[in-house]
């Protein structure tokens, strides 16, 4: 399993590493870190690339680290049923800088982004209906 994750990580870094992308494998899971301004390109690559095929968005969630300057992590959990693999994509942002919306890539991102906005105050640019849900 670790070989597959390392191979996937190497492939992603080869194709997208010049776009502020890095990765790490910990506890048998691959996490790819991205910059907010490049996350949409990375997510589209992960969906469309034949070596990746992460066609399903499982979740988008937030984590709050108030002691950091960029206090929020936005975390995307993706699934490739074709390859039987999961991946986590993370980025950091603050409470004033919007993260590009992934709704155009996966319509299910609509609810997850609204939830992160409502629970944490994370802003998403170009979201079609960014309003409170609770």
């Amino acid at each position: 399993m670790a070989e597959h994750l390392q191979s996937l990580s190497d492939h992603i870094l080869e194709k997208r590493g010049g776009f502020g992308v890095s990765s790490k494998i910990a506890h048998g899971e691959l996490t790819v870190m991205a910059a907010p301004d490049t996350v949409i390109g990375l997510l589209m690559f992960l969906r469309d690339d034949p070596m990746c095929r992460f066609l399903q968005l499982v979740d988008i969630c937030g984590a709050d680290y108030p002691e950091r300057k960029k206090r929020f992590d936005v975390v995307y959990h993706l699934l490739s049923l074709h390859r039987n693999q999961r991946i986590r994509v993370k980025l950091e942002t603050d409470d004033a800088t919007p993260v590009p919306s992934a709704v155009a890539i996966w319509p299910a991102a609509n609810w997850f982004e609204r939830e992160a906005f409502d629970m944490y105050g994370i802003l998403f640019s170009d979201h079609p209906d960014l309003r409170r849900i609770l």
Side-chain angles (χ1 to χ4, degrees):
M1 181 63 109
E3 306 166 353
H4 297 292
L5 292 177
Q6 189 60 56
S7 175
L8 178 60
S9 175
D10 292 345
H11 176 72
I12 293 167
L13 292 178
E14 177 186 329
K15 300 292 184 179
R16 302 297 300 181
F19 297 94
V21 174
S22 63
S23 70
K24 71 177 180 178
I25 298 172
H27 309 289
E29 298 177 347
L30 175 60
T31 301
V32 177
M33 286 70 69
D37 59 339
T38 63
V39 73
I40 295 301
L42 174 63
L43 294 173
M44 288 176 29
F45 169 79
L46 292 172
R47 181 195 64 188
D48 299 339
D49 184 81
M51 294 294 293
C52 299
R53 296 188 65 185
F54 289 96
L55 303 179
Q56 186 172 0
L57 172 68
V58 175
D59 188 24
I60 301 173
C61 59
D64 188 4
Y65 300 93
E67 68 282 354
R68 291 190 333 203
K69 183 176 179 181
K70 291 185 176 184
R71 69 182 286 176
F72 297 118
D73 280 356
V74 178
V75 185
Y76 303 82
H77 298 259
L78 308 178
L79 171 65
S80 172
L81 290 172
H82 180 77
R83 302 216 175 265
N84 192 26
Q85 291 182 316
R86 294 177 183 266
I87 192 172
R88 176 184 304 115
V89 176
K90 290 173 75 170
L91 62 86
E92 294 181 357
T93 191
D94 58 30
D95 56 358
T97 306
V99 174
S101 176
V103 171
I105 302 170
W106 293 288
N110 187 322
W111 183 263
F112 298 131
E113 290 175 356
R114 285 182 61 195
E115 185 178 45
F117 167 71
D118 196 15
M119 301 299 287
Y120 293 100
I122 299 170
L123 301 171
F124 293 89
S125 61
D126 300 321
H127 189 282
D129 189 21
L130 194 60
R131 62 187 164 99
R132 294 182 61 98
I133 56 175
L134 298 176

